[in-house]
């Protein structure tokens, strides 16, 4: 189980750095002792076993608090500082108003309910330093919920995905050997980009901590200062990289992002959105000795359930890049074009939301508990290919159109590095299709827009060729580091 593996790291290398962030760093020994102390406090002072909300960004206290919760037999629920007050209030309501909130960062009083049970940063630091101990008998069991991550939920209240200790252990067991054997990863350094409230971060946090590696956390503030970002990354001498493809694109925009900056890089891991060929090819060119690994999975199945190293053949293949073969212990079936997931990393459901759980999870007669991903896909042999969100399917002038299909055809055109296609609405009806393109070759002028349209006309029926084409230097990103499609849609609404 997860804590046993982290304990091995702490026993083997107590003086090795476990986590580094802009605020400093802590060793495995310190991580273990401080989380023991905080766990002992929770055990002795908190009368309920509700999940504990842990608020902050990349502070070292966040990771300490995650482990402390698990050691005291409680789930944790990470809440990033970028979340709005409204969303935080929703989360507190769903978790339960008696839930304890550990804050690892400064906070605005207004975001918390009046009677919230807050342990503020100073107090948390003091408790961590107090030196308490906790018995292993208090630790979470295999079926207990380890963490709860709230997903955005396009409408209504966000959903709290519960992930058990067993789910997380099954994931870490697989991810440890992904893209290279675990023995080679020991003592290496992992780059963490994703906020801890985004499940992509599970890949770097737990693969790193269970393999005695160093977690090098990149703060969001660094993303707006390229020079500082690259300096910080270089300082970490990373071996492994976990991010969204969008974040890698942001870094690739700088020529200095190459193997002189990071000579030890062994593998880049991606998840959360489509990895396009241009990104993978540029990484292979700039880092010839590093593997590029594409992984796929929703939060509901613990971060990722498929993965593959991208090969030169895959880059030459006219199809989009595959998302990989299926992790042992996971089952994937394609039903009516939809990817259905079952197996040992599948969440038991959404916190305090039986209705939504029932809508998304099901048990086929005589079959296994399974999850509707809402993603379209197909297998070629044992390799899975992603075909976009089922809800990215639109009806336009009566035609059924896959927006992701337009995107992959755009990216197959010479000179197009990235593409995102969104519908524009007028009074609830789709009035246009708009394509946003990042390109080093084209300018935002009529002739170049025509070239793109003509290129698409050779590949797609006319009704799928977007009327609006916009070139941009970079896409807006969500707090999690994915392409912000809602922001793109807003730009279109404003000009439409
Ligand atoms: P989240 O639960 O926020 O991690 O989002 C999961 C969704 O991100 C999946 O259901 C997919 O739609 C998308 N996704 C994850 N990984 C990939 C990938 N490698 N390629 C394309 N889409 C992905």
């Amino acid at each position: 189980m997860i804590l046993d593996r982290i304990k091995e790291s702490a026993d083997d290398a107590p003086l090795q750095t476990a986590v580094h962030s802009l605020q400093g760093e802590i060793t495995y020994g310190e991580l273990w002792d401080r989380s023991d102390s905080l766990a002992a406090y929770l055990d002795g002072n908190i009368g309920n076993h509700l999940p504990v909300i842990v608020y902050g960004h990349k502070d070292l206290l966040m990771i300490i608090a995650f482990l402390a919760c698990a050691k005291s037999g409680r789930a944790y629920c990470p809440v990033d500082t970028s979340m709005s007050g409204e969303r935080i209030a929703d989360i507190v309501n769903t978790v339960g108003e008696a839930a304890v909130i550990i804050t690892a960062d400064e906070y605005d009083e207004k975001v918390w309910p009046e009677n919230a049970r807050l342990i503020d940063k100073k107090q948390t630091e003091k408790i961590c330093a107090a030196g308490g101990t906790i018995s292993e008998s208090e630790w979470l069991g295999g079926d207990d919920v380890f963490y709860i991550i709230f997903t955005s939920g396009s409408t209504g209240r966000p959903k709290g995905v519960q992930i058990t200790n067993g789910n997380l252990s099954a994931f870490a067991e697989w991810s440890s050997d992904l893209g290279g054997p675990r023995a080679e990863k020991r003592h290496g350094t992992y780059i963490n980009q994703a906020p801890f409230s985004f499940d992509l971060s599970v890949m770097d946090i737990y693969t790193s901590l269970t393999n005695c590696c160093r977690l090098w956390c990149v703060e969001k503030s660094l993303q707006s200062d390229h020079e500082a970002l690259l300096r910080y990354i270089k300082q970490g001498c990373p071996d492994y990289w976990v991010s969204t493809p969008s974040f890698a694109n942001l870094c690739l925009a700088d020529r200095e992002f190459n193997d002189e900056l990071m000579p030890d890089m062994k593998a880049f891991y991606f998840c959360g959105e489509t990895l396009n060929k241009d990104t993978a090819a540029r990484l292979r060119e700039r880092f010839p000795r590093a593997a590029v690994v594409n992984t796929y999975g929703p939060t509901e199945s613990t971060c990722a359930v498929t993965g593959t190293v991208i090969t030169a053949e895959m880059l030459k293949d006219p199809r989009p890049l595959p998302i990989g073969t299926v992790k042992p212990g996971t089952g994937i079936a394609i039903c009516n074009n939809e990817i259905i997931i079952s197996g040992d990393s599948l969440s038991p459901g959404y916190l305090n939301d039986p209705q939504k759980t029932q809508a998304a999870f099901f048990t086929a007669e005589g079959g296994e508990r399974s999850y509707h991903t809402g993603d379209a896909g197909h297998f070629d042999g044992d390799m899975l290919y992603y075909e976009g969100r089922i809800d990215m399917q639109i009806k336009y002038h009566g035609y059924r159109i896959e927006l992701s299909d337009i995107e992959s055809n755009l990216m197959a055109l010479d000179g197009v590095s990235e593409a995102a296609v969104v519908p524009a609405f007028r009074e609830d009806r789709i009035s246009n299709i708009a394509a946003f393109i990042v390109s080093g070759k084209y300018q935002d002028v009529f002739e170049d827009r025509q070239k793109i349209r003509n290129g698409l006309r050779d590949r797609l029926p006319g009704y799928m060729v977007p009327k609006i084409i916009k070139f941009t230097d970079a896409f807006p990103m969500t707090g999690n580091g994915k392409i912000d499609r809602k922001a793109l849609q807003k730009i279109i609404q404003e000009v439409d």
Side-chain angles (χ1 to χ4, degrees):
M1 289 287 146
I2 290 294
L3 285 176
D4 297 296
R5 296 272 313 267
I6 301 176
K7 184 172 189 301
E8 277 167 31
S9 301
D11 288 344
D12 286 359
L15 299 179
Q16 187 196 304
T17 300
V19 189
H20 178 103
S21 83
L22 275 183
Q23 290 91 40
E25 53 186 37
I26 41 169
T27 63
Y28 271 98
E30 288 164 339
L31 174 62
W32 196 256
D33 292 346
R34 290 179 201 183
S35 56
D36 253 13
S37 195
L38 183 53
Y41 176 87
L42 294 174
D43 191 46
N45 294 277
I46 309 299
N48 64 56
H49 266 69
L50 286 173
V52 174
I53 293 173
V54 183
Y55 173 84
H57 184 50
K58 299 287 170 91
D59 199 290
L60 304 171
L61 280 179
M62 296 289 284
I63 306 279
I64 296 173
F66 298 167
L67 298 195
C69 291
K71 287 177 172 183
S72 79
R74 291 166 172 83
Y76 70 85
C77 169
V79 171
D80 191 74
T81 48
S82 63
M83 284 187 189
S84 68
E86 201 184 333
R87 197 175 157 78
I88 293 175
D90 264 342
I91 292 176
V92 176
N93 280 335
T94 309
V95 174
E97 288 200 352
V100 166
I101 300 159
I102 295 177
T103 64
D105 215 307
E106 304 308 322
Y107 57 90
D108 181 346
E109 298 277 353
K110 280 181 271 175
V111 307
W112 304 112
E114 255 171 47
N115 52 351
R117 303 182 61 185
L118 288 166
I119 306 177
D120 71 16
K121 185 171 179 174
K122 269 209 181 109
Q123 221 181 330
T124 310
E125 277 168 346
K126 236 190 194 163
I127 297 167
C128 288
T133 55
I134 183 106
S135 154
E136 286 187 22
S137 61
E138 300 298 327
W139 290 8
L140 288 173
D143 291 335
D144 293 335
V145 176
F146 199 98
Y147 65 74
I148 296 156
I149 282 186
F150 278 79
T151 60
S152 41
S154 46
T155 52
R157 274 173 46 211
K159 297 175 284 189
V161 182
Q162 305 180 93
I163 294 298
T164 67
N165 197 1
N167 292 152
L168 182 57
S169 300
F171 167 76
E173 196 46 37
W174 170 73
S175 70
S176 295
D177 287 316
L178 191 65
R182 67 185 69 188
E184 284 176 13
K185 291 179 179 148
R186 270 190 103 66
H187 311 299
T189 295
Y190 271 81
I191 288 283
N192 151 273
Q193 164 256 323
F196 299 149
S197 55
F198 176 22
D199 95 315
L200 173 58
S201 67
V202 166
M203 190 177 304
D204 43 77
I205 297 174
Y206 292 103
T207 316
S208 176
L209 295 181
T210 58
N211 288 289
C212 202
C213 295
R214 187 171 64 147
L215 188 66
W216 196 266
C217 304
V218 178
E219 303 234 350
K220 190 153 184 266
S221 61
L222 285 171
Q223 293 183 16
S224 52
D225 181 350
H226 248 229
E227 224 172 276
L229 173 67
L230 294 196
R231 218 179 315 124
Y232 179 76
I233 289 172
K234 181 185 168 78
Q235 190 199 348
C237 299
D239 303 274
Y240 303 100
W241 174 284
V242 181
S243 81
T244 55
S246 289
F247 182 70
N249 284 328
L250 180 95
C251 297
L252 280 164
D254 199 316
R255 287 252 127 237
E256 281 180 32
F257 186 72
N258 57 32
D259 69 350
E260 266 174 52
L261 184 87
M262 305 192 292
D264 296 332
M265 273 306 294
K266 295 173 185 66
F268 289 89
Y269 296 90
F270 296 108
C271 194
E273 58 179 359
T274 299
L275 172 66
N276 64 53
K277 285 188 182 163
D278 185 80
T279 307
R282 282 193 291 163
L283 284 170
R284 282 170 54 98
E285 199 183 295
R286 303 242 195 124
F287 300 90
R289 285 164 297 170
V292 175
V293 184
N294 194 14
T295 75
Y296 156 86
T299 308
E300 285 83 347
S301 64
T302 319
C303 191
V305 285
T306 68
T308 183
V309 173
I310 301 300
T311 62
E313 288 69 40
M314 290 172 187
L315 288 170
K316 272 189 238 138
D317 191 320
R319 294 175 295 179
L321 294 175
I323 53 176
T325 53
V326 182
K327 154 188 146 337
T330 288
I332 288 190
I334 307 293
C335 298
N336 300 326
N337 204 31
E338 185 187 12
I339 300 176
I340 303 287
I341 303 179
S342 59
D344 58 10
S345 58
L346 199 64
S347 158
Y350 302 115
L351 179 73
N352 298 332
D353 203 335
Q355 247 174 350
K356 285 198 176 128
T357 301
Q358 216 178 5
F361 296 83
F362 66 100
T363 307
E365 216 171 297
E368 266 201 280
R369 225 176 129 263
S370 305
Y371 171 69
H372 284 290
T373 61
D375 293 327
H378 70 271
F379 275 107
D380 179 4
D382 60 355
M383 194 58 88
L384 189 60
Y385 286 79
Y386 175 77
E387 294 173 5
R389 294 286 305 162
I390 287 173
D391 57 14
M392 283 237 323
Q393 232 177 39
I394 59 162
K395 276 274 194 166
Y396 182 52
H397 296 324
Y399 294 106
R400 196 167 108 175
I401 297 175
E402 301 279 356
L403 296 177
S404 52
D405 205 6
I406 307 177
E407 286 178 3
S408 43
N409 277 286
L410 275 168
M411 278 186 285
L413 298 180
D414 182 41
V416 175
S417 306
E418 293 178 72
V421 175
V422 294
F425 287 88
R426 188 176 292 148
E427 288 160 11
D428 289 344
R429 288 190 50 192
I430 295 175
S431 56
N432 256 318
I433 300 176
F436 287 82
I437 294 170
V438 177
S439 164
K441 180 173 168 182
Y442 297 107
Q443 314 278 320
D444 203 10
V445 293
F446 177 78
E447 288 75 19
D448 282 352
R449 287 195 283 269
Q450 272 311 92
K451 276 186 200 152
I452 294 288
R453 283 195 196 96
N454 290 339
L456 271 189
R457 273 190 202 108
D458 292 341
R459 311 174 66 97
L460 291 172
Y463 62 83
M464 286 178 78
V465 176
K467 283 218 185 72
I468 305 172
I469 307 254
K470 284 206 144 305
F471 294 93
T472 172
D473 291 338
F475 289 140
M477 279 200 272
T478 64
N480 286 347
K482 295 192 189 190
I483 296 175
D484 190 343
R485 288 169 196 277
K486 280 190 191 141
L488 292 177
Q489 221 160 343
K490 217 165 146 214
I491 296 172
I492 289 305
Q493 299 308 132
E494 279 158 13
V495 295
D496 194 34

